[in-house]
């Protein structure tokens, strides 16, 4: 065969023009599945086809049904090895029940119910994380089988972590969305898991738990891959809407007076330690912002559950170091956070944390510093 004929053969090769717009922009092969192709599902971004493509595809009366059935079949085929009947039960429970307990926002609920499982089908570790949270919820609902579901939850989260944690050092536009979802699910898993006596929530056995490192890491991921996140169907979950005017409102009067007392105590007892004083004041300032967002206009915000954990998302490594050292003043600041937790105890995965945490803090304080947290104790209703 001559070189000329080879060249002609190359020019005459047919090109596909029916891929989704996202794949075309990225110049990668699209499998053209409806309503979302595999590439877009894996990245967690919106999948859109040109109208002309949709029109040509709809010429056949069975095209949509064939595409749907193929997509479902492929999803089932791509389920992790060993996926059994009990896992189908747990996954079903997530879509009909658990997802509605995570957020009160309709957009977030629908995203968790519809989009998150799709991402799980394309990323095994996300699917295992979904199952770990749903299994813990089942253990809460079906107390007679609690140990059975807790065992499944722990197993699924171990499998998820084995794959996801090594990816944290390799975050890119390709995996940032599933990594963020794994981090969020791990956070819920950690709070919903059976508590240990020594658990201080943000410090356990003098170490920072992996869920908090993941939660704080999400901040840098969102900043680095903001374009991917904002173009993703999951934007409703990660968009905090922390507008500057929210921070200019005043705290409720009784709350404000209590914070003034806390800040005065910090100043009085840390005059010789300006660096520590700065770290503590910074943590208190950020906590006051969470209070303002949660209680906006002197009432609980509809986004309260999200704003409660804004503080954990933003606390500094220096403050965490103080908590690891069981510093008395840092523990007192953490005690004020317990009041926010108490407001959200109608959520099964937060239930009991406020009382557990304030009691642990109280046990570590001397008599003087116990007086610092009288207001949180009274607000929570715990009796020492």
């Amino acid at each position: 065969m001559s070189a000329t004929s080879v060249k002609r053969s190359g020019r005459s090769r047919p090109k596909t023009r029916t891929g989704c717009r996202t794949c075309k922009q990225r110049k990668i092969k699209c499998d053209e599945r409806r309503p979302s192709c595999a590439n877009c599902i894996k990245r967690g971004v919106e999948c859109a086809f040109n109208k002309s493509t949709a029109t040509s595809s709809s010429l056949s009366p069975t095209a949509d049904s064939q595409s749907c059935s193929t997509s479902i079949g492929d999803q089932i085929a791509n389920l992790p090895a060993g996926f059994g009947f009990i896992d189908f039960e747990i996954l079903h429970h997530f879509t009909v029940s658990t997802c509605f307990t995570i957020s009160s926002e309709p957009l977030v609920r629908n995203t968790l119910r519809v989009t998150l499982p799709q991402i799980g089908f394309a990323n095994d570790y996300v699917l295992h994380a979904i199952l770990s949270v749903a299994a813990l919820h089942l253990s809460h609902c079906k107390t007679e089988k609690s140990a059975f579901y807790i065992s499944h939850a722990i197993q699924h989260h171990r499998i998820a972590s084995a794959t996801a944690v090594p990816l944290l050092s390799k975050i890119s536009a390709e995996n940032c969305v599933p990594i963020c979802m794994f981090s969020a699910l791990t956070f819920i898993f950690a709070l919903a898991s059976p508590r240990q006596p020594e658990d201080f929530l943000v410090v356990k056995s003098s170490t920072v738990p992996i869920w908090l490192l993941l939660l704080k890491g999400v901040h840098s991921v969102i900043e680095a891959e903001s374009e991917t996140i904002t173009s993703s169907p999951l934007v409703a979950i990660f968009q905090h809407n922390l507008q500057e005017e929210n921070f200019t409102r005043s705290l409720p009067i009784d709350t404000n007076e209590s914070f003034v007392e806390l800040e005065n105590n910090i100043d009085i007892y840390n005059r010789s330690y300006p660096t520590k004083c700065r770290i503590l004041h910074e943590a208190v300032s950020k906590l006051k912002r969470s209070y303002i967002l949660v209680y906006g206009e002197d009432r609980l915000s509809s986004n309260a559950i999200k704003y409660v954990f804004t503080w954990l998302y933003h606390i500094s490594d220096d403050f965490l170091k103080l908590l690891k050292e069981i510093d008395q003043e840092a523990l007192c600041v953490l005690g004020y956070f317990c009041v926010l937790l108490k407001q959200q105890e109608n959520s099964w995965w937060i239930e009991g944390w406020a009382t557990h945490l304030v009691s642990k803090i109280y046990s570590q304080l001397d008599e003087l510093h116990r007086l610092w947290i009288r207001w949180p104790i009274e607000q929570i209703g715990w009796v020492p």
Side-chain angles (χ1 to χ4, degrees), residues 91-100 113:
L91 182 58
H92 175 262
H93 183 76
F94 181 86
T95 59
V96 300
S97 181
T98 307
C99 65
F100 297 105
R113 182 174 61 87

Side-chain angles (χ1 to χ4, degrees), residues 120-135:
F121 291 134
N123 301 271
D124 287 3
Y125 60 92
V126 175
L127 183 58
H128 282 295
I130 292 171
L131 294 173
S132 69
V133 171

